[in-house]
Amino acid sequence: QVQLVELGGDLVQPGGSLRLSCAASGFTFSNYAMSWYRQAPGKERELVATITSGGSTNYADSVKGRFTISRDNAKNTVYLQMNSLKFEDTAVYYCNALRELAFRTYNYWGQGTQVTVSS
């Protein structure tokens, strides 16, 4: 049974930091690209950051220089370190696992964790 369990969401003041984690089980974690998405109220879900199975990373322009995605394949966990948080970072953050093969795509989602940036 595939599971992605996000932890670490919280209420934080602007300029503060949070570290999200996503623990994966039920699939071969190291073979998957792992991403963090977020969805703010009334907005579409957007891609925040991705780390490939090989360790390459990509970030949305809005978080470059502030957020860092990393993975620990030994612990089947992906992290999102968020620094210099802004009001507009408030959203539910979702973990995603993706593996695209020639004839099939495997795409899994976590349940989300709430991040609220407020003074």
Side-chain angles (χ1 to χ4, degrees), residues 11-76:
L11 171 65
V12 62
Q13 292 187 340
S17 297
L18 277 178
R19 188 194 197 203
L20 305 183
S21 64
C22 171
S25 60
F27 60 97
T28 306
F29 179 80
S30 59
N31 289 343
Y32 283 67
M34 299 300 298
S35 297
W36 288 95
Y37 287 74
R38 67 185 180 187
Q39 187 166 19
K43 295 189 176 181
E44 294 187 354
R45 191 172 296 190
E46 65 172 350
L47 178 62
V48 175
T50 297
I51 184 165
T52 68
S53 58
S56 299
T57 58
N58 281 294
Y59 298 91
D61 288 343
S62 59
V63 307
K64 279 182 183 175
R66 300 189 297 122
F67 290 12
T68 302
I69 188 170
S70 61
R71 66 190 298 160
D72 185 337
N73 289 341
K75 295 183 178 180
N76 288 353

Side-chain angles (χ1 to χ4, degrees), residues 76-91:
N76 288 353
T77 301
V78 61
Y79 304 95
L80 185 67
Q81 178 66 44
M82 305 186 293
N83 299 328
S84 302
L85 283 161
K86 305 177 180 180
F87 291 117
E88 52 264 40
D89 294 319
T90 296

